[in-house]
Amino acid sequence: MTAIQNKVVIITGASSGIGEATVRKLAQSGAKIVMSARRGKRLEALKLELAEYGVEYKVGDVTSLSDMKELVQYTLDKFGKIDAMFHNAGIMPMGPLADSNEQEVAKWESAVSVNIMGVVNGLAACLPVMVKQKFGHMIAMDSVAGHLVYPNSAVYCGTKYAVRAIMEGVRQEHLEDNIRSSIVSPGIVETELINSVGNTDIEAWIAGEVQDRTKSLTAVDVAEAVAYILSTPDTVSISEVLMRSSKHAL
């Protein structure tokens, strides 16, 4: 995709799953990538694997505003500009609200911290740069759960509804700054995200859906959607890509 070539893209949550697949896809399409995640060894291994491409990394936690500011500055120091930031880091804790003991409430707090504040911190760190540049593209990982609510997922769905609203706010606030805003909302995807559910019954159900390959997307499928969004002309704003397995009901 020639429209992606030489674009400088920050990707959070890049050490596995959709983030890792997107790093590969965009790097192979000619983009300059700065990866970020908490697991530095995985990032280092991915950089070595993609040594022929323009891939750098900086360890960071999206729940830390200072980490996100350092990530943005690191990218500017390396490449001199930021064309896009993919706010991909997220977790998926699930369970009945009625079971909200102290441990469960801690799960909900983590979901808000990572899924909502993680995006907000990235926006707060990077938007001033894009406003100054007068160009940029913010892309956030959302979910089908940001469009419908289902049992045992109220808090998770709430975080994804919030991301959807926040990113629409970015679009409206920066129409005159040439900053575009997009979200990607997939259904079930075969990734490590299942490990953050924290409820054995729900994990078993999701695992069953993933094992039936016709009912889940792959990380590569979602990476292709991100690449499509980034390949569009500056005059086009793809507000959202809502995607599911063609065989899945939800």
Side-chain angles (χ1 to χ4, degrees):
M1 296 182 179
T2 55
I4 294 176
Q5 192 166 13
N6 293 321
K7 282 190 173 179
V8 177
V9 184
I10 297 172
I11 300 176
T12 65
S15 61
S16 65
I18 292 167
E20 179 183 349
T22 305
V23 169
R24 295 179 193 278
K25 175 63 182 179
L26 298 185
Q28 291 164 1
S29 298
K32 308 298 184 185
I33 307 296
V34 176
M35 310 178 289
S36 184
R38 292 177 298 175
R39 295 180 289 188
K41 289 184 178 180
R42 288 199 179 192
L43 296 177
E44 183 179 10
L46 189 54
K47 177 182 176 179
L48 289 173
E49 180 186 336
L50 299 173
E52 64 184 291
Y53 303 104
V55 177
E56 302 290 343
Y57 76 90
K58 191 172 195 317
V59 175
D61 186 337
V62 296
T63 66
S64 166
L65 177 58
S66 62
D67 278 10
M68 291 302 97
K69 287 183 175 180
E70 289 174 9
L71 173 63
V72 166
Q73 188 58 53
Y74 177 84
T75 304
L76 290 173
D77 291 342
K78 285 286 183 180
F79 297 112
K81 65 171 183 172
I82 300 170
D83 291 287
M85 185 170 186
F86 180 28
H87 307 268
N88 170 69
I91 57 176
M92 190 174 66
M94 294 183 177
L97 281 174
D99 293 345
S100 293
N101 54 33
E102 288 187 8
Q103 183 177 356
E104 291 295 293
V105 170
K107 283 170 39 178
W108 311 145
E109 290 177 345
S110 293
V112 171
S113 182
V114 176
N115 295 357
I116 300 177
M117 289 309 301
V119 173
V120 172
N121 287 336
L123 292 170
C126 196
L127 272 174
V129 173
M130 291 183 173
V131 169
K132 186 176 181 180
Q133 294 176 158
K134 288 298 181 182
F135 67 86
H137 199 154
M138 291 297 192
I139 304 174
M141 177 53 56
D142 206 71
S143 171
V144 168
H147 297 261
L148 56 88
V149 179
Y150 40 91
N152 302 319
S153 302
V155 175
Y156 176 65
C157 292
T159 66
K160 291 305 183 180
Y161 269 80
V163 169
R164 188 174 159 205
I166 289 165
M167 295 303 286
E168 172 61 11
V170 171
R171 186 189 72 81
Q172 294 184 23
E173 291 175 18
H174 294 285
L175 291 173
E176 303 305 317
D177 296 318
N178 196 30
I179 297 172
R180 293 181 287 167
S181 171
S182 306
I183 60 173
V184 183
S185 297
I188 292 177
V189 185
E190 183 183 3
T191 70
E192 294 179 6
L193 195 61
I194 187 176
N195 297 332
S196 65
V197 169
N199 180 291
T200 54
D201 291 337
I202 298 173
E203 287 174 1
W205 177 80
I206 296 173
E209 297 295 282
V210 168
Q211 286 169 10
D212 181 348
R213 298 302 176 124
T214 67
K215 291 187 176 181
S216 68
L217 300 167
T218 68
V220 173
D221 293 330
V222 184
E224 292 282 354
V226 176
Y228 163 69
I229 290 170
L230 281 173
S231 71
T232 55
D234 290 346
T235 53
V236 175
S237 183
I238 305 296
S239 296
E240 177 173 12
V241 173
L242 178 60
M243 58 192 297
R244 300 170 169 92
S245 162
S246 59
K247 300 296 183 182
H248 203 271
L250 294 178

